[in-house]
Amino acid sequence: MATILAEAITTWESSLQDLQAFIEKYGKCTSSLVATLDTQVCQVDIDGSIFRAVESVLGRVNHQLASLVELEKKLTLIRIDLNRCRNTSRTLSPISRIPPELLSYIASLGQQEDEDAYQQFQKSLDKLIYPLPTQFSSSGAPHTPEGVSEEDPEYKLYRYSKPRHFPILFSHVCQSWRDAVLSAATFWRKINIPSVNGIEKATQYLSRSKECQLEAVVEAYPLSNQTFQESQEFMMVRDNASRIASLDMVAHLPGDVILTLDELARASPLPSIHNLRLSAMVFSPASGCLTPSSPDLQYEDLLSGVRRLDLSSLFFPWQSAAYTGLTHLRLYGIGLGQPPSSNEIFSILSASPLLESLALEEIPLSDPAGEYHKVISLDKLHTLRLSRNVAASTGYACLLSMLHTPNVVNLSISQLEDCGPAFENFVKRLSSWSPSAKDVQEPPVQVLQLKICDFDEDMLKRLFSYMPNIVDLNLSCLSGFSHSALSSLAECDEGSVVPRLLPKLESLRITWCDAIRSPQLLKDLIQSRLRANEKSENGVKIERLVLMHCGVNRSDIGEMRSWFSENIPYFVYSYDAFGVQVIEDEGVGAVDAEEGEGNEEQ
């Protein structure tokens, strides 16, 4: 092989030398021809013979110039071949010899890293101090809220934008990488089907995904001159119904959701859907019920494999749906004309022992009919969110009395009036608490959020004593969170430097608590945690403190800001995020920002 290569390069170099010699000879001949023509043209032409001779020569030159152009084209092609030969050296590098399967695996790692980063970003939104912007500038970048500087720890959250699909970036490196990524169907199974822009992109993704199961995001907002059933979005879902394994759909009308579910129920083979998220933007008192449009259709088989169910302003006929394998359930009830009854909710929860996350938001949960006192055991549940902003919701106290969730880590209770005793008993059961027990099991709750709950300060202290593992505490609009409740977080048992309540607390957020007027109590709290961290291996200092709309006197603001900024890695104080300001007197009130002084502290 080496001998053949040596002979080939020797022959090529010899031909190149011959070409150079011919070009030199051609150049000399061309120079001689031009000089001769210049000499003849300058002579006196009496009978016109010189003119005719020159004209004949120029004609022949023009004819040969055409041949010269063809030669130049051939030389260009030869030069292209030589450049391709030079590119062969790139294929000799180790990175160019990576098999396509390994390239696809590397691209999948990059894609997973992006997805993990985006999931972490979504979790960070729960801790945002300022509301996340919904408007974008002409360049596509989100607007940063006023008052958030580049030095702010949360600045990066407001400037964050979802990264481009990693396989697309990967495919722009070189042709071999592009071929490897485009041939891997699993990279293109997540498809966005928008209503205005992006149909061509969705079509490309469908083609590249081949026969893979799809994760479809559908925006059902048809144009004004057509119905959803006539739209390209609907046709795209209908034609690929059997491949859909995850459906996230936001529709203008509940009827558009029903049309989509009908097509999924008609599909053959029936799609194996594990993630279902449905939402309707327009509702009426009689809307929201997701029942098949035809008597010969049923949703039971379609829903039997669902693991994650998220419904906003929509509901299924609960008594007929087969929910036995749910791991995540969220129900949002605003706009429901016929929400599920308490008995139906309790039956669904009882039939879903694998639940890991449960959120009931704005569901008017009343007392169950008859005697329904069955214990609902959810041993795998780690996140529980209960929020009520509607009347006739006394069933939440009954729900708390029946729930058995020994492994819940994230607990959020909002606007559950008259549920204080039920919630306290629920927390007691988490810790197997009893006044005479010597060995009390510590509940795993690490994140606690309480909002607009009628808990007095004594109940708050008891709740804190039941949950010593809390790391993140979020309190909002609690009338019972007074000076006494705050000072209890700094108290230590005799002979110990570790605070008695919430010894592992790292993050504290307090909003709309006018009782917090003096920064001294907060200083005492921080100092006690700092001493515990310095003198005890079990001591934990507070890393994050957020105060919003609290009644701290304006005269103490400057001192408070500087002291806390020096002793806490992350400190935020805001009293004017909604266009109101604190009055400089003994009481705290609010006036319009336009009528009062400007808020220089904001």
Side-chain angles (χ1 to χ4, degrees), residues 345-409:
I345 290 289
F346 297 160
S347 298
I348 293 172
L349 297 181
S350 298
S352 305
L354 302 179
L355 270 181
E356 300 174 9
S357 176
L358 172 62
L360 300 179
E361 302 175 10
E362 322 304 339
I363 299 292
L365 201 61
S366 58
D367 287 329
E371 296 184 1
Y372 196 105
H373 302 291
K374 183 178 179 180
V375 175
I376 302 175
S377 296
L378 303 175
D379 295 341
K380 296 182 179 295
L381 194 74
H382 58 73
T383 300
L384 176 62
R385 299 175 63 90
L386 302 178
S387 174
R388 180 197 66 181
N389 192 22
V390 291
S393 296
T394 55
Y396 281 95
C398 182
L399 175 62
L400 287 170
S401 67
M402 292 186 295
L403 281 178
H404 176 68
T405 58
N407 297 307
V408 66
V409 174

Side-chain angles (χ1 to χ4, degrees), residues 163-175:
R164 291 184 63 187
H165 192 44
F166 185 83
I168 293 180
L169 299 177
F170 197 82
S171 68
H172 289 179
V173 176
C174 63
Q175 187 62 45

Side-chain angles (χ1 to χ4, degrees), residues 228 234 247 249 253-267 270-273 276 278 288-306 309 311 314-324 326:
F228 175 65
F234 176 78
L247 177 62
M249 182 175 184
L253 298 171
D256 297 338
V257 179
I258 293 176
L259 287 173
T260 303
L261 293 175
D262 286 350
E263 292 301 325
L264 295 176
R266 290 191 184 100
L270 195 69
S272 178
I273 298 180
L276 192 60
L278 306 174
C289 182
L290 299 176
T291 55
S293 59
S294 175
D296 60 341
L297 289 177
Q298 293 182 349
Y299 292 159
E300 282 78 1
D301 293 338
L302 182 67
L303 300 174
S304 60
V306 173
L309 181 62
L311 300 177
L314 298 168
F315 68 98
F316 288 103
W318 303 98
Q319 66 277 10
S320 61
Y323 301 110
T324 57
L326 289 177

Side-chain angles (χ1 to χ4, degrees), residues 180-192:
V181 170
L182 293 183
S183 62
T186 55
F187 289 139
W188 315 103
R189 59 188 176 84
K190 296 183 179 181
I191 299 177
N192 292 304

